[in-house]
Structures are given as structure tokens and as C-alpha cells.
Amino acid sequence: MKYPIIFTVLLLISQAVQLTAQQLIDDTKVIKVLMFENEHKDKKRMINETARIKYKLRSDSKQVIKGTLEDIKKDKMIVDGKDVYYNDCSMIAGRVFNEEVLAGGIMSGTGLTTIIFGAALAGNIIVGGTIVGSGLAVLVAGIIMVTKSKRFNLDKGWEVYGAEIIYNPAT
């Protein structure tokens, strides 16, 4: 008769400790991003802080400046220690995170797996070679999708501003 009561009390204590521990730990993450919006196309894209970017200034539209995005503010970005105001830029380019990057990652994994599977069938040259060739094509297409950058022409409908994404991975 004692054991069910002790078990119930221990269970209630462990639940209380678990709830308290969950409330004490704050895993909230803040990611600063450059947010690009085009109202005519109804599209939104973003570039993360610490990304490699290229940009053109309105004062010298021929020169493309490259650098690392060190910090993002509401009206300016800091690239390699220099303040660059969004109003001074005519174009900003960088690696964008969207559905295409996810698809490219899946394609890269599928291509690599297909190459390995085709190599396992190397005994039959025609079948194995065909599978390896198609796997290589999918792998290359996936790598291109993951690594390509997107250009945002700020004179053709794109607007840019600094934003923050706040999320908690524990929830």
C-alpha cells in the first residue's frame, strides 16, 4: 500500500521540477537579417547577418563592392567596418535563404546517394554509368541552387530594411 503513494508523490515532484526547469531556461535566439520586399511581385526574401554580400552605391553604379555583413540596423548595414545606408545603395546581392535552398540541399543529398548507388552497380557498366551520370547531374544542380546569390535592384521595386527574427527552438 505504501509503494503506490510514494510513486505518486515522486511523480508529482518530478513534474513540478520539470516545469520549473523549463521556465528558468530561456533559449530565445535573435537573428538579424536584411529583409527585401517587392510589393508588386508579393515576395519577401532575407539575407542573414555575417553573410558575404555585394552592393553598388548610387554615387558609383559601375563599381561592385564586396564584403562581409557585420551588423544590421534599421536604416543601415555595416559591411567590413563601414556604415552603408540602404538609401545610398542601388543594388544588393547575397545568398538568400528560401525554399530553393532547401530544395537544393535535398537535391545535393539525393545526387550523392545516387552516385554511391550507381557505383555499387559498376558491374553492369550501362546501368551503373547511367545512374552515376544522373546522380552527378542532380548533385551539380543542387549545389548550384544552394550556392547561388540573388540580386536585388533597389530601383526596380525592391525595398530593403533591417529586421530581427526572434524564435525559441525549445518551443
Side-chain angles (χ1 to χ4, degrees), residues 47 52-54 91-98 100-101 143-152:
I47 298 176
R52 297 282 302 157
I53 64 166
K54 300 176 190 174
M91 182 276 301
I92 300 174
R95 235 176 88 198
V96 175
F97 292 97
N98 58 11
E100 197 171 290
V101 173
I143 289 173
I144 289 170
M145 288 175 72
V146 168
T147 59
K148 78 175 184 177
S149 68
K150 171 86 172 127
R151 295 174 57 116
F152 299 99

Side-chain angles (χ1 to χ4, degrees), residues 20-65:
T20 305
Q22 287 178 353
Q23 292 171 353
L24 292 177
I25 299 171
D26 184 18
D27 287 339
T28 303
K29 305 280 184 196
V30 177
I31 299 174
K32 292 182 179 181
V33 295
L34 281 179
M35 184 66 78
F36 296 91
E37 280 189 56
N38 191 323
E39 290 182 11
H40 301 294
K41 296 179 181 180
D42 194 29
K43 291 185 178 181
K44 289 184 180 183
R45 300 289 185 256
M46 63 184 110
I47 298 176
N48 287 357
E49 187 179 38
T50 71
R52 297 282 302 157
I53 64 166
K54 300 176 190 174
Y55 63 94
K56 288 183 184 178
L57 296 174
R58 294 184 194 282
S59 60
D60 186 12
S61 61
K62 302 278 187 211
Q63 182 183 10
V64 176
I65 304 166

